[in-house]
Amino acid sequence: MLRVNTASPDPLVLVLGDEELLAARAITATVDAARAADPGVDVREYEGGALAAGELDEMLSPSLFGGRRVLVIRSGQDARKDLIAALLGYAKNPDPEVTLIVAHVGGAKGKALADGLRTAHAAVIPAAKLKGDRERIAFVRDEFRRNGGRCDDAAASALLASVGNDLREIAAACSQLLADTDGKITEGVVARYYKGRAEVSGFTVADAAMIGDVPGALEALRWALHVGVDPVPIADAIADGVRTVAKVAAAGRGNPYQLASSLGMPAWKIQRAQERSRGWTPEGLVDAMRAAADCNAAVKGGAEDRGYALEQAVFAVAAARRGGGAR
């Protein structure tokens, strides 16, 4: 799903999904395929909401001079009804010398266009946002692999903790690491390269809070805010840390590799969560999840002092761990 592969230009291409990087790569790869077939190809790009049906008819009509053409329509979900009707009418009998690329974010808006192009047998390239750690880790590993490098899950996770979840930043970080190393990316390599950034990530704050290290969590939090780390991913990391430990604790002390499939997370993450679950009780985890939810609501709801909300979450999570007693 994460690779873009358009070996030859199709007459109809639907790029479906709301992840900008994947959509941009899909469009670029399709245009490149058309250029490979005809270096003189005429490429034109338009926004779906600004294009009129009459203009489309003019652009898709046969050229007096011949030659291949590529028409890219971005934000297809914003197309008006007359344009959608014109596109779907054309899709019933597309010109083999034209590659029509429609980018659509998915969802209910403009759904008739996406569904109609599918029915017309358009080549569909998925470009949806990645969901959860497993897909983001797979993306990182694939970024290195397709560019001649390699990394394991732990290194990929360390990179994500350092740069966040924005796919453009992740891809740029992978490219930089490949340029500056021999291509063999380990957790240690990431830690050395991102020294300072990794130390102030939301995951560092969450890890310290989950083991009851309040001074360490507060120091990391205050430094993160000082250097401009957004409060939202910090709140997300705290919530994810609590949820992960609760999920793993509920599964028991089994072998991480055997639990990986049933829990839907990598073995290394399960092992780390098992270590952090020591000292927690079910009641304490419930209290911590409540504190994390309150923090998320405050931070994402525009609290007047988001830093204060995060500090309170650190205290609350640590208190929940102490209140649950020790094992």
Side-chain angles (χ1 to χ4, degrees):
M1 182 186 75
L2 301 180
R3 296 191 182 192
V4 173
N5 181 14
T6 53
S8 60
D10 291 283
L12 299 173
V13 177
L14 173 62
V15 179
L16 190 61
D18 54 352
E19 177 50 67
E20 291 182 3
L21 175 65
L22 297 182
R25 285 183 174 182
I27 292 170
T28 298
T30 307
V31 171
D32 287 347
R35 285 199 171 113
D38 179 1
V41 65
D42 180 15
V43 180
R44 302 184 186 185
E45 297 193 15
Y46 300 87
E47 290 293 321
L51 184 61
E55 293 176 291
L56 178 74
D57 291 338
E58 181 181 342
M59 288 180 289
L60 291 175
S61 59
S63 170
L64 292 175
F65 302 101
R68 176 167 289 279
R69 286 165 290 155
V70 175
L71 176 60
V72 180
I73 300 179
R74 299 180 183 271
S75 302
Q77 72 281 352
D78 295 333
R80 294 187 291 270
K81 288 184 179 180
D82 59 341
L83 178 59
I84 291 176
L87 285 167
L88 297 183
Y90 169 80
K92 293 177 182 177
N93 186 29
D95 185 336
E97 290 299 307
V98 175
T99 297
L100 173 63
I101 307 169
V102 177
H104 191 295
V105 299
K109 187 178 181 182
K111 188 172 183 291
L113 176 57
D115 289 347
L117 289 173
R118 276 201 192 96
T119 301
H121 306 294
V124 179
I125 304 178
K129 287 190 182 298
L130 305 188
K131 298 177 181 177
D133 287 344
R134 293 180 71 179
E135 289 193 1
R136 282 187 282 270
I137 287 171
F139 174 83
V140 171
R141 297 192 66 172
D142 189 66
E143 278 292 290
F144 286 118
R145 188 182 302 113
R146 70 191 186 89
N147 289 291
R150 65 177 185 269
C151 80
D152 57 19
D153 284 359
S157 179
L159 183 62
L160 292 172
S162 298
V163 302
N165 293 331
D166 183 273
L167 231 56
R168 289 185 184 276
E169 289 194 16
I170 294 170
C174 292
S175 177
Q176 191 64 54
L177 279 171
L178 282 167
D180 293 347
T181 68
D182 62 0
K184 298 174 184 176
I185 311 302
T186 65
E187 190 173 9
V189 168
V190 174
R192 287 195 301 274
Y193 193 87
Y194 284 95
K195 183 173 177 58
R197 289 195 68 178
E199 289 169 359
V200 297
S201 74
F203 294 101
T204 305
V205 177
D207 283 347
M210 289 304 293
I211 62 173
D213 180 9
V214 174
L218 291 177
E219 181 182 3
L221 171 61
R222 289 162 185 165
W223 180 247
L225 296 175
H226 174 73
V227 298
V229 177
D230 192 291
V232 171
I234 300 176
D236 285 340
I238 293 173
D240 179 71
V242 175
R243 283 194 303 267
T244 300
V245 168
K247 189 174 182 180
V248 170
R253 306 293 298 178
N255 184 300
Y257 293 94
Q258 294 174 345
L259 292 172
S261 178
S262 61
L263 292 181
M265 63 180 72
W268 65 265
K269 190 172 184 179
I270 295 173
Q271 184 175 7
R272 185 171 294 178
Q274 286 176 335
E275 294 169 356
R276 280 155 178 68
S277 69
R278 298 189 183 101
W280 284 96
T281 66
E283 295 79 13
L285 286 168
V286 169
D287 289 343
M289 283 190 281
R290 187 178 297 114
D294 290 344
C295 175
N296 255 281
V299 169
K300 296 177 182 178
E304 192 170 323
D305 189 341
R306 298 194 292 174
Y308 177 76
L310 288 165
E311 286 191 3
Q312 291 303 108
V314 168
F315 284 120
V317 168
R321 184 176 185 272
R322 290 194 305 270
R327 291 182 182 177

